[in-house]
């Protein structure tokens, strides 16, 4: 199975083509440009360098959220456009799950954190387990991806009492808080595995596809997990107006 994978859920823009267990090509950038400037040119470059006809792609995997509202919209719109044009299914891959997949096979608890502002993070907790010696590792979700206060996350991890690897763009924002609040052994991921990678989106997408988790381009929408600041403000304003009418 050949998958085109996209991730523009955070600061990083990443695109990859993966076939079965081979990452044929991957293009990742985290440098001063918007995803609207980078994502389509990256796909074009992958296509050019691999001399690949996109009609040979079987499915499109996309980091479906949570994450940056703008980034998710760009990734979703790109995936939907290609899905419509090529008549391909979309595999919606949870962003935080894909981040955790950077540490496939690790014996530690994996804790991706993405800055969600207001002292909150998009996060989840994951562990890898193995059955028979020749079977692949299976990623277990210890805590589903969610948006929570960093102190609440620290309490949950401290209760687990296990060593944890932390990665994601939230590390730079909450490093001091982590040092203050975490009471278990922890380490931060190195630069090579600390951010989103489309190849991980593809690898996890292949598993989801085999489980029947995919959708049409028309049906695909991002999973924001919470309302945007503008939507919250609009709802508050509407509630205030409704209250004043009742008065």
């Amino acid at each position: 199975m050949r998958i085109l994978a996209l991730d523009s859920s955070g600061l990083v823009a990443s695109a990859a083509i993966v076939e079965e267990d081979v990452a044929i090509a991957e293009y990742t950038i985290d440098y001063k440009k918007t995803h609207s400037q980078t994502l389509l040119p990256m796909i074009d470059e992958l296509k050019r360098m691999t001399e690949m006809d996109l009609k040979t792609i079987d499915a499109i995997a996309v980091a479906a959220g949570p994450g940056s509202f703008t980034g998710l919209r760009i990734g979703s719109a790109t995936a939907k456009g290609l899905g419509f044009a090529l008549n391909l299914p979309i595999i919606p891959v949870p962003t935080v799950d894909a981040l955790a997949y950077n540490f496939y096979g690790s014996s530690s608890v994996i804790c991706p954190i993405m800055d969600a502002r207001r002292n909150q993070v998009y996060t989840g907790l994951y562990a890898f387990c193995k059955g028979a010696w020749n079977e692949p590792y299976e990623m277990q979700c210890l805590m589903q991806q969610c948006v929570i206060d960093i102190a609440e996350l620290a309490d949950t991890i401290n209760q687990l009492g296990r060593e944890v690897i932390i990665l994601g763009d939230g590390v730079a924002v909450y490093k001091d808080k982590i040092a203050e609040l975490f009471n278990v052994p922890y380490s931060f991921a190195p630069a090579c595995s600390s951010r989103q990678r489309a190849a991980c989106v593809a690898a996890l997408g292949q598993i989801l596809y085999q489980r029947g988790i995919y959708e049409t381009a028309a049906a695909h929408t991002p999973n924001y997990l919470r309302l945007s600041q503008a939507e919250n403000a609009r709802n508050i304003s509407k509630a205030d107006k409704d209250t004043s009418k009742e008065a």
Side-chain angles (χ1 to χ4, degrees), residues 92-124:
V93 179
T95 299
V96 182
D97 293 22
L99 256 173
Y101 220 66
N102 279 359
F103 283 89
Y104 174 88
S106 173
S107 60
S108 300
V109 172
I110 311 303
C111 177
I113 58 173
M114 298 172 65
D115 183 22
R117 309 291 177 88
R118 293 173 286 183
N119 223 40
Q120 293 184 322
V121 291
Y122 297 118
T123 188

Side-chain angles (χ1 to χ4, degrees), residues 120-196:
Q120 293 184 322
V121 291
Y122 297 118
T123 188
L125 295 175
Y126 306 85
F128 288 90
C129 64
K130 192 173 177 63
W133 69 273
N134 61 336
E135 292 181 354
Y137 283 92
E138 181 178 348
M139 188 170 75
Q140 291 186 325
C141 185
L142 307 178
M143 182 177 78
Q144 294 281 350
Q145 63 174 21
C146 59
V147 54
I148 61 173
D149 188 273
I150 187 67
E152 185 180 347
L153 173 62
D155 288 342
T156 302
I157 287 176
N158 290 338
Q159 289 172 22
L160 279 177
R162 294 175 57 184
E163 181 180 354
V164 62
I165 297 173
I166 309 166
L167 69 154
D169 61 46
V171 169
V173 180
Y174 295 104
K175 207 166 191 176
D176 291 341
K177 280 281 188 182
I178 289 168
E180 175 189 341
L181 297 170
F182 281 36
N183 296 325
V184 297
Y186 66 86
S187 59
F188 298 117
C192 60
S193 52
S194 65
R195 293 289 192 274
Q196 286 89 341

Side-chain angles (χ1 to χ4, degrees), residues 89-92 205-215:
I90 307 294
I91 310 169
Q206 185 170 311
I207 293 170
L208 295 177
Y209 186 89
Q210 290 167 352
R211 294 175 181 171
I213 301 173
Y214 53 88
E215 58 198 8

Side-chain angles (χ1 to χ4, degrees), residues 27-135:
Y27 192 157
T28 300
I29 190 165
D30 180 6
Y31 188 75
K32 295 183 180 180
K33 289 190 176 181
T34 65
H35 298 325
S36 60
Q37 293 175 293
T38 56
L39 203 56
L40 283 174
M42 288 164 66
I43 295 169
D44 285 340
E45 183 67 8
L46 290 180
K47 178 184 172 184
R48 186 183 69 82
M49 290 295 290
T50 60
E51 300 179 345
M52 185 175 295
D53 186 341
L54 289 181
K55 291 179 180 178
T56 65
I57 297 293
D58 297 303
I60 301 167
V62 61
S68 156
F69 285 78
T70 301
L72 289 175
R73 290 187 185 106
I74 292 169
S76 175
T78 303
K80 285 170 75 73
L82 290 169
F84 277 121
L86 300 169
N87 192 29
L88 293 176
I90 307 294
I91 310 169
V93 179
T95 299
V96 182
D97 293 22
L99 256 173
Y101 220 66
N102 279 359
F103 283 89
Y104 174 88
S106 173
S107 60
S108 300
V109 172
I110 311 303
C111 177
I113 58 173
M114 298 172 65
D115 183 22
R117 309 291 177 88
R118 293 173 286 183
N119 223 40
Q120 293 184 322
V121 291
Y122 297 118
T123 188
L125 295 175
Y126 306 85
F128 288 90
C129 64
K130 192 173 177 63
W133 69 273
N134 61 336
E135 292 181 354

